[in-house]
Amino acid sequence: MGIDWTQMNVWAILAGGALYMFYGAIYYSILLKNKGEFAANESKGPGKYAASAAIAFISSLLIGILVVSAGAETWISGAAAGFIVGLIITLVYLKNSLFGLLSRRALFIAAGDHLIIFTLLGAVHGIWS
C-alpha cells in the first residue's frame, strides 16, 4: 500500500494545521483558565508555541496521509478516520491514567481534545480529497 502523493492537498494540510492551532488556543484557554495542578509541569519559554505549531501541521499532514490512503472521499469518511485516530490516542491516555501517570482531569482534557481535533482534521481532509 503506497501513498499517492498526487492526491495530497497542500491547502488541506495548511487549513488543518491552522484549524488545530485555532482550536487548541480556544479549547485550552477555556479548560485551563486555572492551570492549578498543571502549572508545575508546563514548559517554560516561547519554544512550546513553536513546537505546538509544528505539531499542528505535522498532525494535519499525517491525518491527510491516512485519509488519502484509506480512500476517504467525503467529510464523513474523513471524520471517521480522524475519530479512530483520536480514539486510539484516548485509549493510550486511559491506560496511562490507570497506572497513575495522568490525573483524571488531565485524562478528560486530553481525551476530549484529541477526539475532537482529529475528527475535525479528518473531516477537513475528507472535504478536500
mmCIF file of all heavy atoms in Angstrom, residues 31-32 34-43 102-103 105-107 109:
data_model
loop_
_atom_site.group_PDB
_atom_site.id
_atom_site.type_symbol
_atom_site.label_atom_id
_atom_site.label_comp_id
_atom_site.label_asym_id
_atom_site.label_seq_id
_atom_site.Cartn_x
_atom_site.Cartn_y
_atom_site.Cartn_z
ATOM 1 N N LEU A 31 -10.497 25.538 29.129
ATOM 2 C CA LEU A 31 -10.367 24.473 30.121
ATOM 3 C C LEU A 31 -9.232 24.684 31.112
ATOM 4 O O LEU A 31 -9.239 24.085 32.180
ATOM 5 C CB LEU A 31 -10.200 23.124 29.423
ATOM 6 C CG LEU A 31 -11.438 22.633 28.687
ATOM 7 C CD1 LEU A 31 -11.154 21.304 28.006
ATOM 8 C CD2 LEU A 31 -12.616 22.487 29.632
ATOM 9 N N LEU A 32 -8.264 25.499 30.755
ATOM 10 C CA LEU A 32 -7.123 25.690 31.649
ATOM 11 C C LEU A 32 -6.985 27.136 32.115
ATOM 12 O O LEU A 32 -5.879 27.647 32.267
ATOM 13 C CB LEU A 32 -5.831 25.230 30.967
ATOM 14 C CG LEU A 32 -5.735 23.738 30.666
ATOM 15 C CD1 LEU A 32 -4.431 23.422 29.952
ATOM 16 C CD2 LEU A 32 -5.869 22.911 31.926
ATOM 17 N N ASN A 34 -7.512 28.175 35.006
ATOM 18 C CA ASN A 34 -6.758 27.996 36.241
ATOM 19 C C ASN A 34 -5.943 26.721 36.075
ATOM 20 O O ASN A 34 -6.462 25.626 36.228
ATOM 21 C CB ASN A 34 -7.720 27.885 37.428
ATOM 22 C CG ASN A 34 -6.995 27.679 38.742
ATOM 23 O OD1 ASN A 34 -5.771 27.766 38.798
ATOM 24 N ND2 ASN A 34 -7.743 27.387 39.781
ATOM 25 N N LYS A 35 -4.666 26.855 35.761
ATOM 26 C CA LYS A 35 -3.839 25.688 35.453
ATOM 27 C C LYS A 35 -3.628 24.789 36.655
ATOM 28 O O LYS A 35 -3.427 23.597 36.510
ATOM 29 C CB LYS A 35 -2.500 26.130 34.879
ATOM 30 C CG LYS A 35 -2.634 26.718 33.510
ATOM 31 C CD LYS A 35 -1.292 27.047 32.933
ATOM 32 C CE LYS A 35 -1.478 27.718 31.595
ATOM 33 N NZ LYS A 35 -0.231 28.103 30.995
ATOM 34 N N GLY A 36 -3.649 25.360 37.841
ATOM 35 C CA GLY A 36 -3.539 24.578 39.066
ATOM 36 C C GLY A 36 -2.473 23.514 39.009
ATOM 37 O O GLY A 36 -1.278 23.787 38.940
ATOM 38 N N GLU A 37 -2.909 22.246 38.998
ATOM 39 C CA GLU A 37 -2.003 21.095 39.061
ATOM 40 C C GLU A 37 -1.061 20.992 37.863
ATOM 41 O O GLU A 37 -0.039 20.340 37.925
ATOM 42 C CB GLU A 37 -2.814 19.802 39.167
ATOM 43 C CG GLU A 37 -3.630 19.516 37.916
ATOM 44 C CD GLU A 37 -4.528 18.307 38.032
ATOM 45 O OE1 GLU A 37 -4.025 17.186 37.813
ATOM 46 O OE2 GLU A 37 -5.713 18.495 38.332
ATOM 47 N N PHE A 38 -1.411 21.654 36.755
ATOM 48 C CA PHE A 38 -0.610 21.525 35.538
ATOM 49 C C PHE A 38 0.507 22.551 35.438
ATOM 50 O O PHE A 38 1.421 22.387 34.638
ATOM 51 C CB PHE A 38 -1.505 21.649 34.296
ATOM 52 C CG PHE A 38 -2.657 20.682 34.309
ATOM 53 C CD1 PHE A 38 -3.962 21.138 34.347
ATOM 54 C CD2 PHE A 38 -2.435 19.316 34.290
ATOM 55 C CE1 PHE A 38 -5.023 20.252 34.356
ATOM 56 C CE2 PHE A 38 -3.482 18.419 34.301
ATOM 57 C CZ PHE A 38 -4.781 18.888 34.342
ATOM 58 N N ALA A 39 0.454 23.605 36.230
ATOM 59 C CA ALA A 39 1.427 24.694 36.124
ATOM 60 C C ALA A 39 2.860 24.226 36.380
ATOM 61 O O ALA A 39 3.796 24.689 35.735
ATOM 62 C CB ALA A 39 1.055 25.822 37.083
ATOM 63 N N ALA A 40 3.032 23.294 37.301
ATOM 64 C CA ALA A 40 4.381 22.830 37.655
ATOM 65 C C ALA A 40 5.044 22.068 36.513
ATOM 66 O O ALA A 40 6.269 22.048 36.407
ATOM 67 C CB ALA A 40 4.317 21.947 38.898
ATOM 68 N N ASN A 41 4.248 21.450 35.646
ATOM 69 C CA ASN A 41 4.796 20.621 34.570
ATOM 70 C C ASN A 41 4.920 21.362 33.244
ATOM 71 O O ASN A 41 5.401 20.792 32.271
ATOM 72 C CB ASN A 41 3.908 19.392 34.358
ATOM 73 C CG ASN A 41 3.868 18.511 35.586
ATOM 74 O OD1 ASN A 41 4.854 18.379 36.289
ATOM 75 N ND2 ASN A 41 2.726 17.929 35.853
ATOM 76 N N GLU A 42 4.495 22.610 33.201
ATOM 77 C CA GLU A 42 4.487 23.362 31.948
ATOM 78 C C GLU A 42 5.898 23.742 31.519
ATOM 79 O O GLU A 42 6.722 24.135 32.329
ATOM 80 C CB GLU A 42 3.645 24.630 32.131
ATOM 81 C CG GLU A 42 3.521 25.449 30.881
ATOM 82 C CD GLU A 42 2.636 26.682 31.066
ATOM 83 O OE1 GLU A 42 2.254 26.991 32.203
ATOM 84 O OE2 GLU A 42 2.352 27.319 30.061
ATOM 85 N N SER A 43 6.171 23.630 30.237
ATOM 86 C CA SER A 43 7.452 24.062 29.687
ATOM 87 C C SER A 43 7.553 25.575 29.773
ATOM 88 O O SER A 43 6.559 26.276 29.637
ATOM 89 C CB SER A 43 7.572 23.642 28.227
ATOM 90 O OG SER A 43 7.556 22.257 28.112
ATOM 91 N N LEU A 102 -1.328 9.935 34.811
ATOM 92 C CA LEU A 102 -2.150 11.051 34.352
ATOM 93 C C LEU A 102 -3.313 11.194 35.319
ATOM 94 O O LEU A 102 -3.949 10.196 35.678
ATOM 95 C CB LEU A 102 -2.672 10.682 32.955
ATOM 96 C CG LEU A 102 -3.084 11.707 31.961
ATOM 97 C CD1 LEU A 102 -1.953 12.659 31.638
ATOM 98 C CD2 LEU A 102 -3.538 11.017 30.684
ATOM 99 N N SER A 103 -3.589 12.409 35.762
ATOM 100 C CA SER A 103 -4.732 12.611 36.649
ATOM 101 C C SER A 103 -6.032 12.433 35.870
ATOM 102 O O SER A 103 -6.055 12.499 34.638
ATOM 103 C CB SER A 103 -4.686 14.017 37.258
ATOM 104 O OG SER A 103 -4.981 14.994 36.270
ATOM 105 N N ARG A 105 -8.523 14.473 35.696
ATOM 106 C CA ARG A 105 -8.828 15.731 34.994
ATOM 107 C C ARG A 105 -8.000 15.859 33.715
ATOM 108 O O ARG A 105 -8.517 16.227 32.657
ATOM 109 C CB ARG A 105 -8.576 16.925 35.910
ATOM 110 C CG ARG A 105 -8.896 18.250 35.250
ATOM 111 C CD ARG A 105 -8.841 19.413 36.238
ATOM 112 N NE ARG A 105 -9.155 20.637 35.532
ATOM 113 C CZ ARG A 105 -8.367 21.689 35.486
ATOM 114 N NH1 ARG A 105 -7.221 21.699 36.143
ATOM 115 N NH2 ARG A 105 -8.719 22.768 34.821
ATOM 116 N N ALA A 106 -6.717 15.543 33.815
ATOM 117 C CA ALA A 106 -5.848 15.612 32.634
ATOM 118 C C ALA A 106 -6.312 14.619 31.570
ATOM 119 O O ALA A 106 -6.276 14.927 30.376
ATOM 120 C CB ALA A 106 -4.400 15.344 33.025
ATOM 121 N N LEU A 107 -6.760 13.452 31.989
ATOM 122 C CA LEU A 107 -7.271 12.455 31.045
ATOM 123 C C LEU A 107 -8.451 13.015 30.259
ATOM 124 O O LEU A 107 -8.481 12.931 29.029
ATOM 125 C CB LEU A 107 -7.692 11.179 31.777
ATOM 126 C CG LEU A 107 -8.521 10.188 30.959
ATOM 127 C CD1 LEU A 107 -7.696 9.600 29.829
ATOM 128 C CD2 LEU A 107 -9.081 9.103 31.861
ATOM 129 N N ILE A 109 -9.378 16.139 29.781
ATOM 130 C CA ILE A 109 -8.987 17.280 28.947
ATOM 131 C C ILE A 109 -8.277 16.793 27.689
ATOM 132 O O ILE A 109 -8.616 17.193 26.574
ATOM 133 C CB ILE A 109 -8.098 18.263 29.741
ATOM 134 C CG1 ILE A 109 -8.940 18.975 30.812
ATOM 135 C CG2 ILE A 109 -7.436 19.273 28.820
ATOM 136 C CD1 ILE A 109 -8.130 19.784 31.803
#
